[in-house]
Amino acid sequence: MSFWEKLVNAIGNIAGNALSAVVEAIRTVFEGDPETRRKVAFSVAIIALSAKMAKADGIVSEREVEAFREIFEFPQDQAKNVARLYNLARQDVAGYEAYAERLSALCITCAANCTVLEDVLDGLFHIAKADGLIHEKELNFLSHIGAIFQMSETRFEQIAARHVSSGGDPYKVLGVSPSDDFPTIRRRYRGLVSEHHPDRLISRGVPKEFHVIANERMAALNAAYAAIEKERRAA
């Protein structure tokens, strides 16, 4: 039995607050398997919050559905189980704030600017921009999610800058200042590359399908560093 089937069976024919049932199912069904629990918690966070984001925006485009599948590939025979979780989150009376708070606690317990929760935000940004534009309601939603995840304003701006389709500020992408000297910027860049290398995701319990986002993130970091290096050489 797949973990999706275990999770859906544990939820049963619930009514009322779906969130409480889902969180309790993750907590109990996978209690003796922390690695699977992390993976399930991360996956449910992406499913539930993307469903809430779609509800906030009011429009779900075909391209957004495709973007969801790009970062969250699942066996075709599990499509109904995943769809049920998505619809539960979308129809649940609990607001997205409650989902973010409870699911962030399940993903991992750590200090502010948690890398696992940054992975979740990156996935949500990827879906939001799939139709070519991050709408104001989506950006407000993502900003509030970042605050609930205890992301600093600077860190959130850094994440958002990676997803600007063109003209993104390379200094914001790397989280540095134009007044920083180049050795400082280079150290920051190398630290980010090490922190966000796709191989690191496995140890954080992130499903392998999420490597699409990891590769996209690395490309943004490399492009930002190259732009700053070119600018400094020309100066």
Side-chain angles (χ1 to χ4, degrees):
M1 182 180 292
S2 73
F3 65 69
W4 295 115
E5 292 170 309
K6 289 181 181 178
L7 184 60
V8 170
N9 288 343
I11 294 170
N13 296 318
I14 62 172
N17 192 340
L19 171 60
S20 294
V22 172
V23 170
E24 186 58 28
I26 295 172
R27 194 185 308 280
T28 57
V29 173
F30 307 104
E31 185 175 8
D33 187 354
E35 184 176 347
T36 300
R37 177 176 162 176
R38 284 195 302 270
K39 182 182 294 187
V40 173
F42 178 89
S43 300
V44 170
I46 291 289
I47 293 171
L49 292 176
S50 62
K52 289 295 186 182
M53 183 168 65
K55 187 175 182 179
D57 181 44
I59 301 172
V60 182
S61 71
E62 184 176 337
R63 184 64 192 94
E64 285 176 329
V65 175
E66 290 175 7
F68 178 82
R69 290 299 301 264
E70 286 172 3
I71 64 169
F72 196 74
E73 185 177 349
F74 46 83
Q76 190 57 42
D77 62 356
Q78 297 304 311
K80 288 184 178 179
N81 290 325
V82 174
R84 182 176 180 196
L85 289 171
Y86 185 94
N87 287 327
L88 278 175
R90 190 175 56 180
Q91 297 167 11
D92 190 6
V93 295
Y96 72 85
E97 298 91 344
Y99 267 78
E101 290 168 0
R102 297 289 295 278
L103 292 172
S104 67
L106 273 178
C107 285
I108 196 169
T109 54
C110 60
N113 296 326
C114 171
T115 51
V116 173
L117 299 180
E118 184 169 340
D119 293 334
V120 174
L121 267 177
D122 261 330
L124 294 174
F125 264 107
H126 181 78
I127 296 169
K129 70 181 182 183
D131 57 2
L133 177 68
I134 298 179
H135 300 278
E136 184 178 357
K137 288 183 179 179
E138 291 173 325
L139 188 58
N140 289 337
F141 174 94
L142 292 165
S143 177
H144 198 184
I145 293 294
I148 294 171
F149 284 177
Q150 298 184 57
M151 292 285 171
S152 68
E153 185 175 341
T154 300
R155 186 76 163 202
F156 180 80
E157 288 179 356
Q158 180 184 348
I159 297 169
R162 293 201 293 259
H163 295 277
V164 175
S165 58
S166 62
D169 184 340
Y171 291 95
K172 280 190 176 180
V173 172
L174 297 184
V176 295
S177 169
S179 62
D180 290 336
D181 59 29
F182 192 66
T184 297
I185 293 172
R186 183 169 54 236
R187 284 195 299 273
R188 172 65 174 165
Y189 162 72
R190 288 175 176 173
L192 288 170
V193 167
S194 175
E195 178 184 347
H196 294 299
H197 193 280
D199 292 344
R200 287 285 187 95
L201 270 67
I202 297 174
S203 64
R204 301 207 291 257
V206 176
K208 60 182 175 61
E209 292 80 16
F210 204 73
H211 282 196
V212 170
I213 299 302
N215 292 330
E216 182 180 89
R217 179 191 293 160
M218 291 296 292
L221 295 175
N222 291 336
Y225 180 74
I228 294 174
E229 185 178 37
K230 182 179 180 181
E231 174 191 293
R232 296 298 175 97
R233 284 179 176 175

